[in-house]
Structures are given as structure tokens and as C-alpha cells.
Amino acid sequence: METIKISLPTAFMLETLRANGVTDEQILKQINKKDVSPWQKIDTTFDFQELVNLATNSEKDFESIITDGYSVKFMTINGLKNLLRLKFNKIQDQDYQQTEKGITDLILTEQELATIKQMLSKNCILHVYGNKISIDFY
């Protein structure tokens, strides 16, 4: 089954909620209630109503995004760095190095690697060298 593609800002909203302790079950519950008010204090820059709109368009797709994961429609280097920080607590110059083409020397668990493979957009190429990963953009 192919994963649902979402925008980078939508991915940031979901991963920000998760990074702040909001569970997938809580996300689904609040979205079903169409009440995102509890999340406004987590990050005031996001319009979490966009998640409600996404779920309204296709409840089944939204549930799949939450439970099965997603891929990003178009990834940027800064977008990748932010997702690595939010989702895996990986920090540039500590856990990986930025290069001219992308990032290198990233170490992930098998589960994290499977997740990042799923999340990356078509403009990214993932390379695995032993236990180190690099991701190039084109």
C-alpha cells in the first residue's frame, strides 16, 4: 500500500504535536471532535484547523496518515532537518553533517530508517553506507 502524500507544513504540525506528547489516539480524537483548541498553546504559529480540513476531505486517508505514516510531497533540506529534530531528536553537527547536496553521517535505528525511507519525497535519494546514512537532494 502506498503512503498518503502530505505537505511539509502538515508534517511539521503532526510531528510537533507528537514531540509535545500528543498521542496518535489523541490526535484522532480531537480531529473527530473538530476541536484543535488544546493544541493552540503548543505552537501558536500553526493553524491546526488545517488538520481538521484534511480529515474532512478524507477521514480514511487522515487515519492512514496517523496510523500508517506518510510521505512528504516535496522535501527541502531545512524541512528534513526540522523533521529529523522533531521526529528523531537528531541535531545538525551533533548527529549528522550538512553537505552541499544534503546530509551525511546520520545514524538511525532500523525502525527510524524505515520511517525516514517512507517519509522522503521523490526529490531525495537515500544512501546507506554500513551504519551511516546520507540523503541527497536533486
Side-chain angles (χ1 to χ4, degrees), residues 3 56 67 114 121:
T3 58
T56 302
T67 58
S121 61

Side-chain angles (χ1 to χ4, degrees), residues 98-110:
Q98 183 173 343
T99 66
E100 206 174 281
K101 294 181 179 181
I103 66 165
T104 191
D105 296 333
L106 176 65
I107 299 174
L108 297 174
T109 66
E110 288 293 320

Side-chain angles (χ1 to χ4, degrees), residues 10 13-14 17 22-40 47-63 65-66:
T10 300
M13 278 189 260
L14 290 173
L17 291 174
V22 180
T23 66
D24 289 349
E25 293 77 21
Q26 290 169 323
I27 292 172
L28 292 171
K29 180 180 172 189
Q30 289 305 123
I31 293 298
N32 285 336
K33 290 179 5 183
K34 297 183 179 355
D35 178 17
V36 296
S37 59
W39 303 336
Q40 296 308 318
D47 180 5
F48 290 105
Q49 187 62 39
E50 290 297 318
L51 297 178
V52 173
N53 297 344
L54 181 61
T56 302
N57 289 340
S58 177
E59 192 175 321
K60 186 177 154 217
D61 282 356
F62 187 79
E63 192 170 321
I65 289 165
I66 300 301

Side-chain angles (χ1 to χ4, degrees), residues 10-11 17 19 44 46 59 68 75 78-79 81 84 89 93-94 106 111 118 121 126 134:
T10 300
L17 291 174
T44 58
F46 287 131
E59 192 175 321
D68 303 324
M75 187 74 73
N78 286 333
K81 289 167 25 178
L84 288 172
N89 201 29
D93 297 328
Q94 177 181 317
L106 176 65
Q111 180 60 47
Q118 177 182 359
S121 61
L126 184 133
S134 70

Side-chain angles (χ1 to χ4, degrees), residues 6-16 46 48 50-51 72 74:
I6 64 174
S7 69
L8 203 47
T10 300
F12 290 157
M13 278 189 260
L14 290 173
E15 298 310 333
T16 297
F46 287 131
F48 290 105
E50 290 297 318
L51 297 178
V72 174
F74 184 83

